[in-house]
Amino acid sequence: MTVKQPKLRNIQEKLLSDNWYILKKYTYELQRRDGSWQQQEREVYDRGNGAVILLYNKIKNSIILIRQFRMPMYVSGYPHFLIEAAAGLLEDASPEARIIAEAEEETGFKVDKLEKIFEAFMSPGSVTEKLHFYIAEYNDNNRSNAGGGLAEEGEDIEVLEWPFPKALEAIKTGEIVDGKTIMLIQHLALNSILKS
């Protein structure tokens, strides 16, 4: 694999906000493919890295999803609750430790064995966050609580157990619009882990 690295010079950064996470404005010069240098400005939002997990059951041919309110989507004109896979920021924990805790906190299922499938940057034009993607099998015996998230963090999460074909159809109809969740559902379908 050939990896090309960009050439930059005269990088300057300015802190715009550290109210919730960190927003900075960067001014820099980037060398273009023709060899010339071009000054550019970009705002970069740093909220840390995260992890996401999709729980699946081969016998039931089902997955566990969650539904909750997301303000950024509401502001951008999406008036519905978001259906997504359980996820969370690492907050100085390893991706594995964080997603095991997050899965139990949000879905109520205790995860025994994780499978990491890949890492991806979800919005590289403006956000630094890299997500670690996981899948794990669940069964009814893994249920340790009702899930729902932490009320003190503003979470009010509904846990959904859906047949896998319903989840695939929900991507087509626009009921599922979350990128990380679509990627995980498609991974299960492409690798024939569940039946379409």
Side-chain angles (χ1 to χ4, degrees):
M1 179 173 84
T2 303
V3 179
K4 285 186 74 173
Q5 294 186 332
K7 292 182 181 175
L8 285 89
R9 68 183 185 191
N10 300 326
I11 301 170
Q12 299 172 22
E13 66 178 62
K14 179 181 178 184
L15 180 65
L16 300 178
S17 174
D18 65 353
N19 185 36
W20 185 248
Y21 296 109
I22 297 171
L23 178 63
K24 291 182 179 178
K25 178 179 177 181
Y26 287 89
T27 304
Y28 56 93
E29 292 179 38
L30 175 68
Q31 189 174 38
R32 298 175 59 84
R33 287 179 295 142
D34 66 6
S36 65
W37 291 89
Q38 180 182 36
Q39 183 171 313
Q40 298 182 0
E41 292 181 347
R42 297 289 185 272
E43 290 184 5
V44 177
Y45 189 55
D46 184 356
R47 60 188 304 263
N49 294 329
V52 58
I53 190 166
L54 186 59
L55 304 177
Y56 67 93
N57 182 301
K58 285 184 179 179
I59 295 168
K60 292 181 172 182
N61 200 45
S62 61
I63 60 174
I64 299 295
L65 297 167
I66 60 174
R67 183 168 20 217
Q68 65 180 318
F69 176 71
R70 295 292 200 181
M71 187 62 178
M73 294 187 67
Y74 182 82
V75 169
S76 69
Y78 187 78
H80 311 287
F81 286 93
L82 180 67
I83 296 172
E84 60 186 312
L89 294 175
L90 301 186
E91 298 173 343
D92 298 323
S94 72
E96 295 82 7
R98 187 66 228 139
I99 202 57
I100 288 170
E102 202 70 35
E104 188 169 7
E105 189 179 288
E106 293 188 357
T107 71
F109 285 92
K110 200 171 192 77
V111 175
D112 293 330
K113 187 178 175 186
L114 290 171
E115 180 183 346
K116 185 171 185 176
I117 54 174
F118 50 76
E119 299 174 7
F121 290 95
M122 298 305 293
S123 189
S126 59
V127 181
T128 61
E129 181 184 29
K130 177 172 64 175
L131 278 182
H132 301 261
F133 286 75
Y134 294 90
I135 56 174
E137 287 195 67
Y138 78 92
N139 62 55
D140 294 335
N141 295 332
N142 297 122
R143 194 94 196 230
S144 65
N145 63 69
L150 300 176
E152 60 269 20
E153 291 182 6
E155 294 177 326
D156 184 18
I157 295 170
E158 179 185 0
V159 181
L160 308 170
E161 184 176 31
W162 277 14
F164 191 59
K166 177 180 178 177
L168 287 169
E169 184 63 24
I171 293 171
K172 291 179 189 173
T173 64
E175 190 175 2
I176 293 178
V177 296
D178 177 62
K180 65 186 181 300
T181 305
I182 292 170
M183 292 165 73
L184 286 167
I185 290 170
Q186 289 181 341
H187 175 82
L188 293 182
L190 289 170
N191 292 281
S192 302
I193 295 170
L194 296 179
K195 297 178 190 124
S196 303

